[in-house]
């Protein structure tokens, strides 16, 4: 029998998750696990303050951070909703419309480049085998960038860029996950809402705002996020393109849990230091 050799410093840590994998987001009303697949779909979370939108965004951010094939771009006007993931992210934008526009323009360029590459290869979408990273874009509070900070022209450019990313980013491996506490027609026009393959309605105050998130007519058919008790934070109706809304309770990560996951995820994403002396504290292996 072969004897086990001592682990060498060159063995990379395998995070074991992919953005092409189903993402666990919580449980349904029967206690069954609920998964979403974000690689080719966008997600919109809407509902009143304190409903649990940022909780869902953090759960998704955790999966993305632990996925070896994902990069994160975070826009968070409040800084604290997604702030703990900053060290895992390529970009973390706070309350700064100029920086938000810069990063969205860059993403638009990356998206155009990816489509040119796909076309050159006679393909229509990126797959897990391409070796391209999925760039997961999380926006916590669309309205903050589209209606609160900056001038009218900047806000309009933000909406136009976001719409383009939501409309075209999917097949290029750039899904958008966005939250808003103002599900109204001025923030989420129907034409933009329908581009989000997944929509999660957290507690809403009127059937109309629930419909703005889920789609017209669902409240009348009995699927209204006004049913959700104010004390039931993290409960939502989740609808996937072509399906019917499903009551879910989002898996919640505490601040301490996020800190632990983000710390580990940042470590898995560390730059390699091939020149460090073998066995030294800086010898983190030579994984690509
Ligand atoms: N899935 C959940 N399970 C249990 N409690 C939750 C869950 N999601 C959120 N909460 C509780 O609700 C509080 C508010 O949630 P969260 O910050 O996600 O709301 P929000 O919809 O993002 O609000 P805002 O619009 O003000 O940003 C959290 O601090 C937490 O205590
Ligand atoms: Mg929030």
């Amino acid at each position: 029998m072969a004897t086990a050799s001592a682990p060498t410093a060159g063995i990379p840590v395998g995070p074991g998750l992919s953005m092409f994998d189903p993402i666990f987001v919580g449980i349904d009303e029967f206690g069954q696990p609920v998964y979403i697949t974000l690689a080719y779909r966008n997600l919109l979370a809407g509902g009143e303050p304190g409903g649990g939108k940022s909780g869902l965004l953090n759960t998704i951010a955790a999966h993305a951070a632990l996925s070896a094939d994902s990069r994160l771009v975070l826009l968070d006007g409040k800084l604290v909703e997604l702030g703990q993931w900053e060290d895992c992210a390529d970009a973390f934008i706070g309350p700064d419309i100029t920086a938000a526009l810069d990063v969205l323009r860059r993403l638009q360029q990356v998206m155009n480049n990816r489509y040119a590459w796909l076309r050159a290869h006679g393909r229509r979408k990126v797959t897990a085998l391409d070796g391209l990273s999925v760039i997961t874009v999380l926006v916590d509070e669309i309205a903050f960038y589209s209606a609160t900070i900056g001038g009218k022209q900047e806000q309009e450019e933000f909406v136009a860029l976001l719409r383009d990313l939501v409309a075209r980013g999917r097949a290029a491996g750039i899904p958008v996950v966005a939250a808003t506490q103002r599900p109204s027609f001025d923030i989420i026009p129907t034409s933009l809402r329908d581009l989000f393959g997944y929509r999660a309605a957290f507690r809403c105050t009127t059937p109309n705002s629930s419909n703005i998130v889920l789609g017209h007519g669902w409240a009348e058919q009995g699927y209204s996020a006004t049913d959700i008790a104010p004390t039931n934070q993290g409960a939502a109706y989740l609808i996937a393109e072509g399906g019917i809304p499903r009551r879910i309770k989002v898996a919640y990560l505490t601040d301490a849990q996020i800190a632990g996951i983000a710390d580990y995820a940042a470590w898995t994403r560390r730059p390699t230091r091939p020149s460090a002396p073998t066995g030294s504290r800086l010898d983190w292996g030579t994984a690509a």
Side-chain angles (χ1 to χ4, degrees), residues 182-196:
R182 282 167 54 187
S184 55
F185 285 114
D186 53 332
I187 305 297
I188 312 288
T190 311
S191 59
L192 177 62
R193 191 248 347 259
D194 290 343
L195 297 172
F196 287 90

Side-chain angles (χ1 to χ4, degrees), residues 48-55 78 81 181 233-234 249-252:
E48 70 174 55
K53 303 176 296 294
S54 302
K78 271 197 211 165
E81 304 275 36
Q181 54 182 215
Q233 289 155 319
K249 176 88 171 182
V250 172
Y252 186 68

Side-chain angles (χ1 to χ4, degrees), residues 117-262:
W117 181 85
L118 283 170
R119 178 165 175 258
H121 288 79
R123 301 251 315 279
R124 289 184 295 177
K125 63 180 184 185
V126 302
T127 69
L129 299 176
D130 287 326
L132 289 174
S133 45
V134 174
I135 305 174
T136 311
V137 183
L138 292 138
V139 186
D140 205 334
E141 196 48 63
I142 300 177
F144 179 75
Y145 296 98
S146 70
T148 310
I149 55 162
K152 196 166 169 8
Q153 203 185 339
E154 289 166 317
Q155 294 172 355
E156 278 171 7
E157 187 179 356
F158 179 87
V159 173
L161 286 166
L162 185 72
R163 178 189 294 268
D164 186 29
L165 217 53
V166 175
R168 292 197 296 139
R170 309 179 322 140
I174 310 183
V176 176
V177 178
T180 183
Q181 54 182 215
R182 282 167 54 187
S184 55
F185 285 114
D186 53 332
I187 305 297
I188 312 288
T190 311
S191 59
L192 177 62
R193 191 248 347 259
D194 290 343
L195 297 172
F196 287 90
Y198 289 108
R199 272 117 49 191
F202 290 82
R203 188 180 143 74
C204 291
T205 39
T206 65
N208 192 35
S209 34
S210 177
N211 272 346
I212 287 172
V213 181
L214 293 176
H216 188 66
W218 284 114
E220 292 70 21
Q221 293 183 51
Y223 301 98
S224 173
T226 50
D227 298 348
I228 299 168
T231 46
N232 193 2
Q233 289 155 319
Y237 278 100
L238 174 70
I239 187 171
E241 222 159 31
I244 58 167
R246 197 172 167 194
R247 245 330 248 274
I248 65 162
K249 176 88 171 182
V250 172
Y252 186 68
L253 293 167
T254 63
D255 288 350
Q257 286 167 334
I258 294 175
I261 297 170

Side-chain angles (χ1 to χ4, degrees), residues 17-34:
L17 286 178
S18 161
M19 268 317 266
F20 291 90
D21 287 338
I23 301 173
F24 175 73
V25 290
I27 54 171
D28 68 11
E29 55 197 310
F30 306 104
Q32 297 300 308
V34 176

